[in-house]
Amino acid sequence: MLGKMMQWPLLVSRIFEYATQFHGEQTIVSVCAGKSVFRYSYRDFGLRVCQLANALQAAGVKPGDRVATLAWNDHRHLELYYAISGIGAVCHTINPRLFPAQMEYIVHHADDVLLFADPTFSELIAPIAAKAPNLRQLIWLGDEDLPRSDVRTTSYEDFIAGHSDNIEWPALDENAASSLCYTSGTTGNPKGVLYSHRSTVLHSMAVTGANALNIGLHDAVLPVVPLFHVNAWGIPYSALLNGAKLVLPGPKLDGESLYTLMAAEGVTVTAGVPTIWLALQNHLRDNQLQLRNLKRMIVGGSAAPRSMIEYFEEQQNVEFIHAWGMTEMSPVGTVCKLKSHLINRDRDTRSEVQVTQGLPVFGVEMKLVDDDGQVQPHDGEAIGEVWVRGPWITCGYYEDAQADEGKFDRDGYFRTGDVASFSRDGYMRICDRSKDVIKTGGEWISSIDLENAAVGHPLVAEAAVIGVHSEKWAERPLLVIVPRDPGTPPTLAAMHDYLADKVPKWWLPDAMEVVAQLPHTATGKIQKRDLREQFRDYQLP
Ligand code: AMP
């Protein structure tokens, strides 16, 4: 027997309608490139989204068309999110930190019809526009000093001017595509992940829950995570569907700018990658500052070091929430909140749990699979690759059947490429990307754990660990560090002393190299492939 309940498609336009109708007075704050702070209400935001949606339709944008953005976290980018998806087109956010060849590949592959770009990216435009066969127009997200371009251009304000601020949103299928984000693997071409209205709404509802970001009416939310990377972890939707104040930081993401904005706007919740928080931590520490309003910070994208967790919790009185996910998962898969029996335990016990990536959120099914395809138990010991399935996880890359090969099993699980263990309590600990794991004498060493322990050393600014060839053990760990002060790097012996009580003895790196900087991917992760290349013929002492 079927239940007697309404069919009510989960659409991005429904979040918009709810937010503007019931939370119209709430504020959106936006720092625009090179400009002072702009602020308006949800209500005024809504009027401009309708104008933009009408302008897009007048420009011939049809349901299913891809409309690209190359933009910072600001109010115009937010307007694009809602207007493009609302009319049934696909909001394709391009990551400006990708290599030019990757961007050219992406616009060609996505076949974008319009491109909305911030003028700060003007130098990127000509080569990518040349690769988009059906690009009709370039719209600058600014209103003065607009750069010249060979493509037909206009300004955003001119583009929307004169259009009605009222619209009847189309009744879309909830499975229709709403946005597109390419993930830049370390090998091969970027792969497109095509989100649907349904996946977006479900994911946004899940991440706002009390066991995750816990966003409500009284929060002021600052997504440092870019709108061009996995829809800023869903925050542009979750903040609005909860009537929260949204603070969009624009391009300046250094410690001082973030602190100033957080203090001025009374930010209570923020989200970003560890690199950003390290800069903020240094700024706060060097200037003896306190984050007075901040209650929660969500940290993911790469593993958060224990020293950072302890700094923010102990010195800043902020709840530090470690989370894990990936572009293919919208992105959130696990969130590290402490269970009741852990919350009042001593600092050490809590930190031990908080360095893990946490508990799966409802809606993400997970299993650990070893090299022989055997499902592994959750016993804190067994390690395997993480496979996932759920309503906001991709079921295949956009127009790229080849990329799907080997990525899905018979039961529809997606292979993440991350290697992890689960504690008996259900907390997932990521050990490595499967290709970064160091295999020494048949045992695994987690490069992530070693790196995170190493960055806790006061003389170390950044650390990476890779496996290098060893006659005896097949591979042994090489520690590569960027010292805080180039004149006084720590010695290998000092690092061994420091690491001795933090990792098993046989994990201690056999050698250490000091470098001025580490290679990073477009999304700020350490580019292990380049490091491995750099130290390919490394001779261990
Ligand atoms: P992306 O699709 O660019 O967001 O990258 C996803 C990958 O980042 C995951 O597969 C993990 O390897 C890594 N990652 C994300 N969050 C974490 C985390 N909290 N700890 C360790 N690795 C993470």
Side-chain angles (χ1 to χ4, degrees):
M1 185 168 37
L2 295 177
K4 282 184 68 98
M5 285 290 143
M6 293 182 185
Q7 294 297 322
W8 191 80
L10 302 173
L11 300 177
V12 169
S13 58
R14 295 221 146 110
I15 299 179
F16 172 84
E17 282 177 331
Y18 170 79
T20 50
Q21 186 176 1
F22 293 105
H23 302 284
E25 74 295 339
Q26 186 54 283
T27 311
I28 295 169
V29 180
S30 161
V31 182
C32 306
K35 283 272 177 65
S36 53
V37 176
F38 171 86
R39 65 181 69 233
Y40 60 175
S41 64
Y42 274 22
R43 194 172 293 115
D44 291 341
F45 156 79
L47 297 175
R48 279 170 59 89
V49 169
C50 294
Q51 275 189 292
L52 172 59
N54 285 314
L56 289 166
Q57 287 178 331
V61 176
K62 302 265 178 307
D65 281 351
R66 273 77 60 211
V67 176
T69 66
L70 197 53
W72 299 108
N73 286 15
D74 65 18
H75 64 292
R76 292 191 179 105
H77 204 176
L78 186 73
E79 290 166 8
L80 284 159
Y81 260 51
Y82 282 91
I84 297 170
S85 304
I87 63 165
V90 179
C91 181
H92 169 208
T93 51
I94 303 176
N95 181 345
R97 298 194 191 120
L98 293 176
F99 302 110
Q102 291 178 314
M103 273 190 258
E104 289 167 25
Y105 170 85
I106 285 173
V107 288
H108 179 77
H109 189 261
D111 194 10
D112 300 306
V113 297
L114 297 181
L115 170 60
F116 288 82
D118 194 283
T120 47
F121 301 122
S122 61
E123 289 187 357
L124 303 176
I125 301 297
I128 63 172
K131 292 286 177 191
N134 295 306
L135 188 69
R136 298 202 286 266
Q137 204 175 357
L138 166 67
I139 300 105
W140 291 118
L141 296 167
D143 31 20
E144 52 195 49
D145 303 331
L146 297 179
R148 292 179 163 279
S149 164
D150 292 341
V151 191
R152 189 157 82 91
T153 58
T154 186
S155 80
Y156 183 87
E157 299 305 325
D158 286 345
F159 185 78
I160 66 171
H163 288 280
S164 164
D165 57 15
N166 192 10
I167 195 167
E168 180 109 6
W169 297 107
L172 306 168
D173 182 328
E174 65 176 5
N175 293 304
S178 59
S179 62
L180 174 64
C181 183
Y182 281 77
T183 167
S184 59
T186 44
T187 49
N189 285 323
K191 294 170 282 189
V193 180
L194 189 61
Y195 308 106
S196 67
H197 285 261
R198 176 184 157 80
S199 72
T200 302
V201 174
L202 286 174
H203 175 264
S204 307
M205 290 167 76
V207 299
T208 58
N211 287 348
L213 275 60
N214 192 2
I215 295 176
L217 269 179
H218 307 294
D219 282 310
V221 189
L222 175 100
V224 183
V225 49
L227 270 73
F228 57 72
H229 185 213
V230 217
N231 296 332
W233 301 351
I235 290 175
Y237 309 108
S238 349
L240 266 71
L241 73 80
N242 285 286
K245 175 174 170 181
L246 185 61
V247 183
L248 299 166
K252 287 211 180 119
L253 304 176
D254 58 284
E256 184 179 0
S257 304
L258 287 179
Y259 170 76
T260 309
L261 187 62
M262 283 181 179
E265 300 299 336
V267 168
T268 59
V269 180
T270 185
V273 296
T275 321
I276 291 285
W277 303 132
L278 193 61
L280 180 67
Q281 181 180 341
N282 288 338
H283 178 72
L284 296 170
R285 192 182 266 157
D286 294 349
N287 298 285
Q288 298 182 345
L289 298 168
Q290 284 301 126
L291 294 166
R292 302 213 183 279
N293 301 96
L294 195 67
K295 295 194 184 109
R296 292 179 290 289
M297 60 198 303
I298 294 86
V299 185
S302 48
R306 180 177 176 143
S307 52
M308 178 182 288
I309 298 173
E310 294 181 350
Y311 172 78
F312 280 103
E313 294 221 332
E314 297 301 317
Q315 309 297 322
Q316 296 289 340
N317 200 22
V318 172
E319 186 189 0
F320 191 99
I321 306 169
H322 196 187
W324 166 89
M326 61 198 307
T327 309
E328 289 87 338
M329 300 174 67
S330 294
V332 178
T334 63
V335 181
C336 194
K337 295 279 273 199
L338 293 172
K339 291 186 174 183
S340 309
H341 69 277
L342 294 165
I343 205 105
N344 292 321
R345 299 288 297 278
D346 58 280
R347 180 69 262 170
D348 245 22
T349 313
R350 282 182 288 141
S351 294
E352 281 298 312
V353 178
Q354 287 181 291
V355 291
T356 75
Q357 282 68 13
L359 302 163
V361 289
F362 174 74
V364 179
E365 269 186 280
M366 309 181 83
K367 64 178 177 185
L368 276 187
V369 179
D370 74 2
D371 285 351
D372 304 323
Q374 298 300 314
V375 173
Q376 297 299 298
H378 293 183
D379 60 4
E381 300 279 322
I383 286 180
E385 196 169 335
V386 181
W387 292 68
V388 291
R389 67 177 181 190
W392 55 83
I393 293 165
T394 185
C395 62
Y397 291 104
Y398 175 60
E399 302 279 345
D400 198 346
Q402 213 184 341
D404 292 345
E405 275 169 30
K407 283 293 201 178
F408 298 90
D409 73 5
R410 265 205 318 260
D411 300 320
Y413 279 86
F414 170 77
R415 178 181 205 162
T416 64
D418 283 335
V419 174
S421 64
F422 272 88
S423 72
R424 288 184 201 284
D425 259 358
Y427 288 90
M428 181 186 75
R429 172 189 282 274
I430 296 279
C431 307
D432 250 317
R433 291 294 292 163
S434 53
K435 53 188 175 305
D436 294 339
V437 89
I438 300 165
K439 281 211 167 153
T440 186
E443 298 289 341
W444 288 9
I445 292 179
S446 159
S447 66
I448 293 186
D449 283 357
L450 258 179
E451 286 160 8
N452 282 342
V455 288
H457 191 287
L459 297 180
V460 175
E462 211 180 355
V465 176
I466 52 169
V468 290
H469 177 71
S470 150
E471 277 301 321
K472 187 167 175 195
W473 302 104
E475 272 191 329
R476 287 295 301 159
L478 166 69
L479 171 65
V480 187
I481 61 154
V482 180
R484 263 180 180 275
D485 172 0
T488 52
T491 60
L492 178 62
M495 289 309 295
H496 278 185
D497 282 350
Y498 180 74
L499 295 171
D501 61 350
K502 299 179 178 67
V503 297
K505 193 153 182 282
W506 57 276
W507 283 27
L508 292 178
D510 290 34
M512 183 178 84
E513 288 294 318
V514 178
V515 295
Q517 58 187 34
L518 289 168
H520 289 99
T521 66
T523 49
K525 293 171 210 208
I526 295 169
Q527 177 59 279
K528 296 273 181 83
R529 187 191 48 177
D530 288 2
L531 262 192
R532 277 194 287 267
E533 190 52 35
Q534 189 178 339
F535 294 103
R536 191 158 46 115
D537 300 319
Y538 195 80
Q539 297 293 322
L540 288 171

